[in-house]
Amino acid sequence: MKDYHISRHSSFYTIGLNYKKADAVIRGKFSLDESAMDNLLTQAKNQGIDGLLVTSTCNRTELHGFAQHPFQLIKLLCDNTKGNVEEFQNVAYIYKNNDAISHLFKVGTGLDSQILGDFEIISQLKQSFNRSKKQNLANPFIERLCNSVIQASKRIKNETEISSGATSVAFASVQYIMRNIPDISNKNILLFGMGKIGRNTCENLIKHTNNSHITLINRTKDKAEKVGGKFNLIVKDYGDLQTEIRNTDVLIVATGANSPTISKELIYTKKPLLILDLSIPKNVDEDVTELENVTVIHLDHLSQMTDETLERRKQFIPQAEEINKVIKDEFIQWLETRKFAPVIKALNKKLKTMKEEELDYQSKKMTDFNSKQADVVSNRIIQKITKQFANHLKETGNDSDDSLQLIKKVFQLELNNNE
Protein backbone atom coordinates (compact mmCIF):
# COMPACT_ATOMS: atom_id res chain seq x y z
CA MET A 1 0.00 0.00 0.00
CA LYS A 2 1.43 3.35 -1.04
CA ASP A 3 1.57 6.42 1.20
CA TYR A 4 -2.01 7.65 1.09
CA HIS A 5 -1.19 10.60 3.35
CA ILE A 6 -2.50 8.56 6.26
CA SER A 7 0.22 9.85 8.53
CA ARG A 8 3.58 11.42 7.92
CA HIS A 9 5.48 9.43 10.52
CA SER A 10 3.46 6.25 11.20
CA SER A 11 1.47 3.42 9.63
CA PHE A 12 -2.00 2.07 10.29
CA TYR A 13 -1.94 -1.26 12.14
CA THR A 14 -4.35 -3.85 13.45
CA ILE A 15 -3.01 -5.97 16.29
CA GLY A 16 -5.15 -8.55 18.00
CA LEU A 17 -6.22 -12.09 18.73
CA ASN A 18 -9.45 -14.01 18.17
CA TYR A 19 -11.23 -17.34 18.53
CA LYS A 20 -9.28 -18.95 15.66
CA LYS A 21 -6.02 -19.37 17.60
CA ALA A 22 -6.76 -18.11 21.12
CA ASP A 23 -8.91 -20.26 23.41
CA ALA A 24 -11.34 -18.80 25.95
CA VAL A 25 -8.70 -18.68 28.71
CA ILE A 26 -6.24 -16.65 26.62
CA ARG A 27 -8.99 -14.41 25.23
CA GLY A 28 -10.06 -13.81 28.82
CA LYS A 29 -6.56 -12.66 29.75
CA PHE A 30 -6.60 -10.07 26.97
CA SER A 31 -10.23 -8.93 27.37
CA LEU A 32 -10.84 -5.26 28.16
CA ASP A 33 -13.75 -3.84 30.14
CA GLU A 34 -14.91 -0.26 29.59
CA SER A 35 -12.62 1.17 32.27
CA ALA A 36 -9.57 -0.60 30.81
CA MET A 37 -10.43 0.64 27.30
CA ASP A 38 -10.69 4.22 28.55
CA ASN A 39 -7.34 3.90 30.34
CA LEU A 40 -5.72 2.45 27.22
CA LEU A 41 -6.99 5.32 25.06
CA THR A 42 -5.75 7.89 27.58
CA GLN A 43 -2.28 6.32 27.58
CA ALA A 44 -2.26 6.23 23.78
CA LYS A 45 -3.15 9.92 23.62
CA ASN A 46 -0.34 10.76 26.07
CA GLN A 47 2.06 8.86 23.80
CA GLY A 48 1.12 11.04 20.84
CA ILE A 49 -1.04 8.49 18.98
CA ASP A 50 -3.65 10.47 17.06
CA GLY A 51 -6.00 7.73 15.87
CA LEU A 52 -7.02 4.50 17.63
CA LEU A 53 -9.99 2.10 17.90
CA VAL A 54 -10.25 -0.53 20.62
CA THR A 55 -12.65 -3.48 20.37
CA SER A 56 -13.03 -6.26 22.93
CA THR A 57 -15.73 -8.92 22.57
CA CYS A 58 -16.28 -12.56 23.52
CA ASN A 59 -14.47 -13.63 20.36
CA ARG A 60 -11.71 -11.08 19.86
CA THR A 61 -9.67 -8.19 21.22
CA GLU A 62 -8.23 -5.80 18.64
CA LEU A 63 -6.50 -2.43 18.44
CA HIS A 64 -6.71 -0.52 15.15
CA GLY A 65 -4.51 2.56 15.07
CA PHE A 66 -1.47 4.53 14.06
CA ALA A 67 2.01 3.73 15.35
CA GLN A 68 5.64 3.93 14.32
CA HIS A 69 5.86 0.21 15.16
CA PRO A 70 3.10 -2.31 16.06
CA PHE A 71 4.83 -3.00 19.40
CA GLN A 72 3.51 0.38 20.61
CA LEU A 73 -0.01 -1.00 20.32
CA ILE A 74 0.92 -4.44 21.67
CA LYS A 75 2.45 -2.86 24.77
CA LEU A 76 -0.66 -0.73 25.32
CA LEU A 77 -2.78 -3.89 25.21
CA CYS A 78 -0.55 -5.87 27.56
CA ASP A 79 -0.25 -2.96 30.02
CA ASN A 80 -4.03 -2.87 30.38
CA THR A 81 -4.81 -6.60 30.52
CA LYS A 82 -3.66 -9.70 32.40
CA GLY A 83 -1.84 -11.02 29.32
CA ASN A 84 1.84 -10.61 28.48
CA VAL A 85 3.76 -10.11 25.24
CA GLU A 86 4.90 -13.73 24.98
CA GLU A 87 1.32 -15.03 25.32
CA PHE A 88 0.14 -12.47 22.78
CA GLN A 89 2.78 -13.41 20.21
CA ASN A 90 1.77 -17.10 20.38
CA VAL A 91 -1.75 -16.41 19.12
CA ALA A 92 -1.69 -12.92 17.63
CA TYR A 93 -2.02 -11.39 14.19
CA ILE A 94 -0.65 -8.07 12.95
CA TYR A 95 -1.90 -6.31 9.82
CA LYS A 96 -0.52 -3.14 8.28
CA ASN A 97 -2.11 -0.41 6.13
CA ASN A 98 -4.11 -2.01 3.30
CA ASP A 99 -4.28 -5.41 5.03
CA ALA A 100 -5.43 -3.75 8.26
CA ILE A 101 -8.18 -1.89 6.38
CA SER A 102 -9.32 -5.12 4.68
CA HIS A 103 -9.37 -6.95 8.01
CA LEU A 104 -11.62 -4.34 9.63
CA PHE A 105 -14.06 -4.57 6.72
CA LYS A 106 -14.14 -8.36 7.10
CA VAL A 107 -14.71 -8.18 10.85
CA GLY A 108 -17.31 -5.41 10.72
CA THR A 109 -19.43 -7.19 8.11
CA GLY A 110 -19.71 -10.55 9.87
CA LEU A 111 -17.35 -12.42 7.55
CA ASP A 112 -14.83 -13.03 10.33
CA SER A 113 -17.38 -13.76 13.07
CA GLN A 114 -17.22 -17.04 14.98
CA ILE A 115 -20.74 -17.64 13.67
CA LEU A 116 -20.84 -16.49 10.04
CA GLY A 117 -23.13 -13.52 9.50
CA ASP A 118 -23.36 -12.56 13.18
CA PHE A 119 -23.51 -8.76 12.98
CA GLU A 120 -23.23 -8.11 16.72
CA ILE A 121 -19.72 -6.73 16.11
CA ILE A 122 -20.98 -3.69 14.18
CA SER A 123 -22.71 -2.19 17.23
CA GLN A 124 -19.53 -2.79 19.23
CA LEU A 125 -17.53 -1.06 16.49
CA LYS A 126 -19.83 1.97 16.75
CA GLN A 127 -19.31 2.02 20.52
CA SER A 128 -15.54 1.83 19.98
CA PHE A 129 -15.66 4.80 17.61
CA ASN A 130 -17.74 6.88 20.04
CA ARG A 131 -15.31 6.05 22.85
CA SER A 132 -12.34 7.16 20.72
CA LYS A 133 -14.16 10.30 19.62
CA LYS A 134 -14.70 11.36 23.25
CA GLN A 135 -10.94 11.04 23.76
CA ASN A 136 -10.19 12.96 20.52
CA LEU A 137 -8.60 9.84 19.05
CA ALA A 138 -10.98 9.48 16.11
CA ASN A 139 -9.08 11.36 13.39
CA PRO A 140 -10.61 11.84 9.89
CA PHE A 141 -9.10 8.54 8.71
CA ILE A 142 -10.62 6.55 11.59
CA GLU A 143 -13.99 8.28 11.19
CA ARG A 144 -14.18 7.71 7.44
CA LEU A 145 -13.04 4.08 7.78
CA CYS A 146 -15.67 3.31 10.45
CA ASN A 147 -18.41 4.94 8.40
CA SER A 148 -17.34 2.92 5.34
CA VAL A 149 -17.43 -0.37 7.27
CA ILE A 150 -20.87 0.51 8.70
CA GLN A 151 -22.07 1.31 5.17
CA ALA A 152 -20.77 -2.05 3.90
CA SER A 153 -22.44 -3.84 6.80
CA LYS A 154 -25.81 -2.25 6.03
CA ARG A 155 -25.58 -3.13 2.34
CA ILE A 156 -24.63 -6.74 3.06
CA LYS A 157 -27.56 -7.07 5.47
CA ASN A 158 -29.99 -5.59 2.96
CA GLU A 159 -28.68 -7.12 -0.26
CA THR A 160 -27.65 -10.63 0.84
CA GLU A 161 -29.06 -13.33 3.07
CA ILE A 162 -25.82 -13.96 4.94
CA SER A 163 -27.51 -13.14 8.25
CA SER A 164 -30.79 -14.90 7.47
CA GLY A 165 -32.17 -17.45 9.90
CA ALA A 166 -31.76 -17.45 13.66
CA THR A 167 -28.11 -18.15 14.35
CA SER A 168 -26.12 -16.54 17.15
CA VAL A 169 -24.40 -17.60 20.36
CA ALA A 170 -27.70 -17.01 22.17
CA PHE A 171 -29.64 -19.16 19.71
CA ALA A 172 -26.92 -21.81 19.57
CA SER A 173 -27.16 -22.20 23.35
CA VAL A 174 -30.92 -22.75 23.16
CA GLN A 175 -30.43 -25.23 20.29
CA TYR A 176 -27.97 -27.17 22.46
CA ILE A 177 -30.40 -27.25 25.39
CA MET A 178 -33.26 -28.47 23.20
CA ARG A 179 -31.11 -31.23 21.68
CA ASN A 180 -29.66 -32.47 24.95
CA ILE A 181 -32.34 -31.95 27.62
CA PRO A 182 -35.44 -34.16 27.24
CA ASP A 183 -38.82 -32.60 28.02
CA ILE A 184 -37.23 -29.12 28.21
CA SER A 185 -40.58 -27.32 28.51
CA ASN A 186 -41.03 -28.84 31.99
CA LYS A 187 -37.48 -28.30 33.27
CA ASN A 188 -36.29 -25.51 35.55
CA ILE A 189 -33.99 -23.00 33.83
CA LEU A 190 -31.92 -20.40 35.69
CA LEU A 191 -30.43 -17.50 33.73
CA PHE A 192 -27.69 -15.65 35.62
CA GLY A 193 -26.63 -12.33 34.03
CA MET A 194 -28.75 -9.78 32.20
CA GLY A 195 -26.29 -8.26 29.76
CA LYS A 196 -26.96 -8.26 26.03
CA ILE A 197 -26.20 -11.98 25.58
CA GLY A 198 -28.31 -12.82 28.64
CA ARG A 199 -31.28 -10.85 27.33
CA ASN A 200 -30.96 -12.37 23.83
CA THR A 201 -30.74 -15.87 25.32
CA CYS A 202 -33.81 -15.21 27.42
CA GLU A 203 -35.82 -14.18 24.34
CA ASN A 204 -34.67 -17.30 22.47
CA LEU A 205 -35.59 -19.53 25.41
CA ILE A 206 -39.13 -18.17 25.53
CA LYS A 207 -39.54 -18.34 21.76
CA HIS A 208 -38.28 -21.90 21.23
CA THR A 209 -38.73 -23.93 24.46
CA ASN A 210 -42.30 -23.09 25.55
CA ASN A 211 -40.90 -23.10 29.07
CA SER A 212 -42.60 -21.13 31.85
CA HIS A 213 -40.12 -22.21 34.56
CA ILE A 214 -37.41 -19.63 33.80
CA THR A 215 -35.83 -17.73 36.70
CA LEU A 216 -33.67 -14.63 36.29
CA ILE A 217 -30.90 -13.43 38.62
CA ASN A 218 -28.63 -10.43 38.19
CA ARG A 219 -26.28 -8.64 40.60
CA THR A 220 -28.38 -5.50 40.10
CA LYS A 221 -31.94 -6.78 40.47
CA ASP A 222 -33.61 -3.93 38.54
CA LYS A 223 -32.07 -5.17 35.26
CA ALA A 224 -33.52 -8.63 35.83
CA GLU A 225 -36.89 -7.18 36.83
CA LYS A 226 -37.05 -5.18 33.61
CA VAL A 227 -36.59 -8.35 31.50
CA GLY A 228 -38.73 -10.45 33.84
CA GLY A 229 -41.59 -7.97 33.69
CA LYS A 230 -41.49 -7.98 29.90
CA PHE A 231 -41.86 -11.78 29.69
CA ASN A 232 -43.67 -12.47 32.98
CA LEU A 233 -40.76 -14.46 34.46
CA ILE A 234 -39.63 -15.16 38.04
CA VAL A 235 -36.92 -12.82 39.35
CA LYS A 236 -34.83 -13.68 42.42
CA ASP A 237 -32.28 -11.78 44.50
CA TYR A 238 -28.56 -12.31 43.92
CA GLY A 239 -28.39 -13.74 47.46
CA ASP A 240 -30.70 -16.57 46.36
CA LEU A 241 -28.27 -17.81 43.69
CA GLN A 242 -27.06 -20.91 45.58
CA THR A 243 -30.60 -22.01 46.45
CA GLU A 244 -31.83 -21.52 42.89
CA ILE A 245 -28.90 -23.49 41.44
CA ARG A 246 -29.89 -26.41 43.68
CA ASN A 247 -33.41 -26.37 42.21
CA THR A 248 -32.53 -25.93 38.54
CA ASP A 249 -31.90 -28.34 35.69
CA VAL A 250 -30.17 -25.87 33.36
CA LEU A 251 -27.97 -22.97 34.47
CA ILE A 252 -27.01 -20.35 31.86
CA VAL A 253 -24.20 -18.04 32.95
CA ALA A 254 -24.05 -14.79 30.97
CA THR A 255 -22.23 -12.60 33.46
CA GLY A 256 -19.48 -10.24 32.37
CA ALA A 257 -17.08 -10.52 35.30
CA ASN A 258 -13.29 -10.68 35.02
CA SER A 259 -13.19 -13.75 37.28
CA PRO A 260 -15.52 -16.74 37.83
CA THR A 261 -18.97 -16.01 39.25
CA ILE A 262 -19.90 -19.71 39.57
CA SER A 263 -17.63 -21.88 41.72
CA LYS A 264 -17.71 -25.46 43.01
CA GLU A 265 -18.84 -24.28 46.45
CA LEU A 266 -22.10 -22.88 45.06
CA ILE A 267 -23.31 -26.16 43.59
CA TYR A 268 -25.04 -28.91 45.56
CA THR A 269 -27.16 -31.07 43.31
CA LYS A 270 -28.20 -34.71 43.25
CA LYS A 271 -29.77 -34.50 39.79
CA PRO A 272 -28.16 -33.80 36.41
CA LEU A 273 -27.24 -30.13 35.91
CA LEU A 274 -26.28 -28.60 32.56
CA ILE A 275 -24.26 -25.36 32.80
CA LEU A 276 -23.74 -23.16 29.74
CA ASP A 277 -21.03 -20.53 30.17
CA LEU A 278 -21.58 -17.71 27.65
CA SER A 279 -18.90 -15.44 29.17
CA ILE A 280 -15.42 -14.25 28.23
CA PRO A 281 -13.36 -14.65 30.29
CA LYS A 282 -14.93 -17.87 31.54
CA ASN A 283 -17.24 -17.15 34.47
CA VAL A 284 -17.65 -20.80 35.51
CA ASP A 285 -14.66 -22.02 37.51
CA GLU A 286 -12.74 -24.99 36.07
CA ASP A 287 -13.24 -27.00 39.29
CA VAL A 288 -17.00 -27.18 38.62
CA THR A 289 -16.30 -29.87 36.00
CA GLU A 290 -15.10 -32.16 38.83
CA LEU A 291 -18.63 -32.46 40.22
CA GLU A 292 -20.77 -35.51 39.51
CA ASN A 293 -23.95 -34.99 37.49
CA VAL A 294 -22.67 -31.60 36.22
CA THR A 295 -21.92 -30.88 32.55
CA VAL A 296 -20.25 -27.58 31.63
CA ILE A 297 -20.39 -26.29 28.05
CA HIS A 298 -18.58 -23.09 27.01
CA LEU A 299 -19.63 -20.76 24.17
CA ASP A 300 -16.62 -21.86 22.08
CA HIS A 301 -18.22 -25.31 21.81
CA LEU A 302 -21.60 -23.79 20.98
CA SER A 303 -20.09 -21.60 18.26
CA GLN A 304 -18.63 -24.64 16.51
CA MET A 305 -22.08 -26.08 15.96
CA THR A 306 -22.99 -26.15 12.29
CA ASP A 307 -26.48 -26.49 10.97
CA GLU A 308 -28.41 -25.96 7.76
CA THR A 309 -28.72 -22.22 8.45
CA LEU A 310 -24.93 -21.73 8.56
CA GLU A 311 -24.38 -23.87 5.48
CA ARG A 312 -26.93 -21.81 3.59
CA ARG A 313 -25.23 -18.57 4.62
CA LYS A 314 -21.92 -19.64 3.09
CA GLN A 315 -23.26 -19.30 -0.45
CA PHE A 316 -23.61 -15.52 0.09
CA ILE A 317 -19.95 -14.97 1.03
CA PRO A 318 -18.83 -14.01 -2.54
CA GLN A 319 -21.64 -11.44 -2.81
CA ALA A 320 -20.71 -9.96 0.57
CA GLU A 321 -17.02 -9.85 -0.37
CA GLU A 322 -17.86 -7.98 -3.59
CA ILE A 323 -19.80 -5.34 -1.63
CA ASN A 324 -16.85 -4.99 0.73
CA LYS A 325 -14.50 -4.54 -2.23
CA VAL A 326 -16.64 -1.79 -3.80
CA ILE A 327 -16.89 0.26 -0.61
CA LYS A 328 -13.28 -0.36 0.34
CA ASP A 329 -12.18 0.87 -3.12
CA GLU A 330 -14.21 4.05 -2.54
CA PHE A 331 -12.40 4.50 0.78
CA ILE A 332 -9.00 4.00 -0.88
CA GLN A 333 -9.96 6.58 -3.53
CA TRP A 334 -10.76 9.01 -0.73
CA LEU A 335 -7.32 8.32 0.74
CA GLU A 336 -5.76 9.11 -2.64
CA THR A 337 -7.63 12.42 -2.65
CA ARG A 338 -6.29 13.22 0.82
CA LYS A 339 -2.77 12.64 -0.48
CA PHE A 340 -2.87 15.60 -2.82
CA ALA A 341 -5.30 17.79 -0.83
CA PRO A 342 -2.43 19.68 0.92
CA VAL A 343 -0.87 20.52 -2.47
CA ILE A 344 -4.18 21.83 -3.86
CA LYS A 345 -4.67 23.84 -0.67
CA ALA A 346 -1.17 25.32 -0.96
CA LEU A 347 -1.73 26.04 -4.67
CA ASN A 348 -4.98 27.85 -3.87
CA LYS A 349 -3.22 29.91 -1.25
CA LYS A 350 -0.37 30.77 -3.64
CA LEU A 351 -2.78 31.85 -6.40
CA LYS A 352 -4.72 34.04 -3.97
CA THR A 353 -1.49 35.71 -2.86
CA MET A 354 -0.63 36.40 -6.51
CA LYS A 355 -4.17 37.75 -7.02
CA GLU A 356 -3.95 40.12 -4.03
CA GLU A 357 -0.61 41.47 -5.22
CA GLU A 358 -1.91 42.04 -8.75
CA LEU A 359 -5.17 43.68 -7.60
CA ASP A 360 -3.24 45.97 -5.29
CA TYR A 361 -0.93 46.95 -8.18
CA GLN A 362 -3.81 47.58 -10.63
CA SER A 363 -5.84 49.60 -8.09
CA LYS A 364 -2.93 52.04 -7.71
CA LYS A 365 -2.33 52.21 -11.45
CA MET A 366 -5.96 52.63 -12.67
CA THR A 367 -8.20 55.43 -11.40
CA ASP A 368 -11.52 53.75 -12.32
CA PHE A 369 -10.44 50.26 -11.18
CA ASN A 370 -13.37 48.23 -9.76
CA SER A 371 -11.72 46.13 -7.08
CA LYS A 372 -14.93 44.26 -6.10
CA GLN A 373 -15.61 43.03 -9.63
CA ALA A 374 -11.98 42.12 -10.15
CA ASP A 375 -12.00 40.16 -6.89
CA VAL A 376 -15.07 38.15 -7.92
CA VAL A 377 -13.70 37.37 -11.39
CA SER A 378 -10.24 36.41 -10.18
CA ASN A 379 -11.63 34.17 -7.42
CA ARG A 380 -13.68 32.25 -9.98
CA ILE A 381 -10.61 31.86 -12.19
CA ILE A 382 -8.61 30.54 -9.21
CA GLN A 383 -11.41 28.12 -8.39
CA LYS A 384 -11.43 26.78 -11.96
CA ILE A 385 -7.64 26.45 -12.07
CA THR A 386 -7.43 24.51 -8.77
CA LYS A 387 -10.36 22.31 -9.82
CA GLN A 388 -8.57 21.53 -13.11
CA PHE A 389 -5.43 20.48 -11.23
CA ALA A 390 -7.48 18.41 -8.74
CA ASN A 391 -9.26 16.58 -11.57
CA HIS A 392 -5.95 15.89 -13.27
CA LEU A 393 -4.51 14.36 -10.08
CA LYS A 394 -7.59 12.17 -9.59
CA GLU A 395 -7.34 10.88 -13.15
CA THR A 396 -3.65 10.04 -12.87
CA GLY A 397 -4.36 7.79 -9.85
CA ASN A 398 -1.24 5.85 -8.83
CA ASP A 399 0.91 8.01 -11.13
CA SER A 400 -0.06 11.23 -9.38
CA ASP A 401 3.21 11.48 -7.39
CA ASP A 402 5.14 12.91 -10.37
CA SER A 403 2.39 15.46 -11.04
CA LEU A 404 2.38 16.51 -7.39
CA GLN A 405 6.12 17.13 -7.46
CA LEU A 406 5.83 19.13 -10.69
CA ILE A 407 3.05 21.37 -9.32
CA LYS A 408 5.04 22.02 -6.16
CA LYS A 409 8.15 22.86 -8.22
CA VAL A 410 6.44 25.10 -10.79
CA PHE A 411 4.51 27.15 -8.22
CA GLN A 412 7.25 26.96 -5.57
CA LEU A 413 4.77 25.73 -2.99
CA GLU A 414 5.58 25.44 0.69
CA LEU A 415 3.49 22.92 2.61
CA ASN A 416 2.87 23.15 6.35
CA ASN A 417 4.24 20.24 8.39
CA ASN A 418 0.72 19.48 9.64
CA GLU A 419 -0.62 19.07 6.09
Side-chain angles (χ1 to χ4, degrees):
M1 177 175 173
K2 288 192 173 185
D3 176 16
Y4 289 128
H5 200 71
I6 293 174
S7 175
R8 190 171 290 273
H9 302 296
S10 57
S11 297
F12 181 65
Y13 290 100
T14 288
I15 64 103
L17 52 96
N18 63 21
Y19 65 92
K20 293 177 182 177
K21 288 183 68 176
D23 61 21
V25 174
I26 293 296
R27 297 204 307 276
K29 284 188 176 185
F30 287 97
S31 66
L32 294 156
D33 58 21
E34 288 190 17
S35 176
M37 283 191 271
D38 286 336
N39 289 337
L40 191 155
L41 289 170
T42 300
Q43 289 176 21
K45 192 175 178 181
N46 292 337
Q47 292 176 18
I49 292 174
D50 71 343
L52 181 64
L53 281 175
V54 182
T55 56
S56 186
T57 72
C58 293
N59 296 327
R60 72 183 67 248
T61 297
E62 294 181 342
L63 271 61
H64 314 269
F66 292 91
Q68 293 178 351
H69 190 278
F71 185 73
Q72 283 180 274
L73 303 182
I74 295 169
K75 188 173 187 304
L76 279 170
L77 178 61
C78 293
D79 286 349
N80 288 278
T81 61
K82 296 177 181 177
N84 58 49
V85 174
E86 185 178 359
E87 289 172 317
F88 179 81
Q89 288 176 331
N90 288 335
V91 296
Y93 44 82
I94 298 172
Y95 300 110
K96 182 178 179 181
N97 291 338
N98 193 53
D99 291 336
I101 293 168
S102 296
H103 177 73
L104 192 57
F105 268 92
K106 194 174 179 182
V107 169
T109 55
L111 294 177
D112 197 57
S113 296
Q114 194 165 16
I115 295 180
L116 177 66
D118 187 351
F119 281 93
E120 189 66 36
I121 186 66
I122 200 67
S123 62
Q124 290 154 339
L125 185 63
K126 290 176 184 177
Q127 291 171 10
S128 298
F129 173 75
N130 290 332
R131 187 178 290 109
S132 294
K133 194 168 186 179
K134 285 181 182 177
Q135 296 260 25
N136 293 320
L137 278 168
N139 60 18
F141 175 93
I142 294 287
E143 182 167 8
R144 184 79 176 218
L145 179 56
C146 284
N147 286 336
S148 296
V149 173
I150 292 167
Q151 182 188 356
S153 174
K154 286 179 180 176
R155 279 195 57 186
I156 289 170
K157 276 185 182 179
N158 294 333
E159 298 174 28
T160 79
E161 296 179 45
I162 202 166
S163 59
S164 62
T167 301
S168 64
V169 170
F171 181 67
S173 64
V174 176
Q175 273 190 318
Y176 185 88
I177 292 168
M178 293 173 69
R179 289 173 181 172
N180 292 276
I181 303 295
D183 195 23
I184 185 60
S185 59
N186 293 313
K187 300 293 185 181
N188 293 324
I189 300 175
L190 174 60
L191 181 51
F192 179 34
M194 283 292 103
K196 193 157 189 175
I197 290 179
R199 295 195 302 272
N200 289 344
T201 304
C202 185
E203 290 185 20
N204 277 286
L205 283 170
I206 291 163
K207 183 177 179 181
H208 299 287
T209 66
N210 296 316
N211 190 304
S212 58
H213 311 283
I214 300 172
T215 301
L216 309 181
I217 293 180
N218 196 64
R219 283 183 182 273
T220 51
K221 192 176 181 180
D222 58 332
K223 280 189 177 181
E225 287 175 336
K226 190 174 180 181
V227 178
K230 181 180 178 182
F231 298 109
N232 195 27
L233 302 176
I234 301 166
V235 177
K236 293 286 186 176
D237 292 324
Y238 176 63
D240 296 326
L241 180 62
Q242 188 171 13
T243 303
E244 291 303 318
I245 291 174
R246 185 173 297 184
N247 296 327
T248 198
D249 299 292
V250 178
L251 169 61
I252 301 171
V253 183
T255 48
N258 290 321
S259 55
T261 55
I262 299 296
S263 61
K264 189 177 180 181
E265 290 72 24
L266 282 173
I267 301 172
Y268 296 92
T269 182
K270 294 181 180 179
K271 59 181 179 178
L273 172 63
L274 171 64
I275 302 177
L276 301 182
D277 186 358
L278 309 184
S279 314
I280 290 289
K282 289 182 178 180
N283 277 195
V284 177
D285 206 318
E286 293 288 344
D287 62 8
V288 173
T289 59
E290 300 169 5
L291 296 170
E292 291 185 17
N293 296 325
V294 176
T295 302
V296 180
I297 301 295
H298 190 259
L299 67 82
D300 276 3
H301 176 80
L302 296 171
S303 299
Q304 290 165 7
M305 292 170 58
T306 58
D307 58 14
E308 292 178 5
T309 301
L310 283 176
E311 289 303 314
R312 184 175 180 276
R313 288 181 177 190
K314 289 179 182 178
Q315 65 182 291
F316 300 103
I317 290 175
Q319 191 180 350
E321 288 176 337
E322 182 59 30
I323 291 171
N324 265 350
K325 182 180 183 302
V326 169
I327 297 178
K328 183 196 162 189
D329 286 349
E330 290 173 358
F331 176 75
I332 296 298
Q333 188 176 15
W334 174 79
L335 281 181
E336 281 282 5
T337 302
R338 277 184 64 82
K339 181 175 72 171
F340 57 74
V343 173
I344 295 299
K345 184 178 178 181
L347 175 60
N348 188 276
K349 185 178 179 181
K350 184 65 177 278
L351 291 174
K352 283 186 175 180
T353 300
M354 294 168 67
K355 177 203 77 171
E356 295 296 337
E357 290 174 352
E358 186 61 25
L359 291 186
D360 182 62
Y361 173 77
Q362 295 296 340
S363 65
K364 291 175 182 176
K365 188 176 180 182
M366 301 169 62
T367 55
D368 58 346
F369 183 73
N370 190 324
S371 59
K372 287 186 178 180
Q373 286 184 347
D375 188 62
V376 170
V377 172
S378 54
N379 279 339
R380 282 187 55 84
I381 293 171
I382 289 172
Q383 187 179 6
K384 288 183 177 183
I385 291 172
T386 52
K387 186 177 180 180
Q388 197 77 16
F389 275 111
N391 288 337
H392 167 73
L393 291 169
K394 286 179 184 178
E395 290 167 4
T396 54
N398 292 333
D399 298 322
S400 61
D401 288 343
D402 291 340
S403 295
L404 282 171
Q405 293 303 320
L406 182 61
I407 294 168
K408 284 192 282 187
K409 184 177 180 181
V410 170
F411 289 94
Q412 298 178 331
L413 301 180
E414 294 182 6
L415 273 62
N416 294 331
N417 291 331
N418 293 330
E419 294 179 333

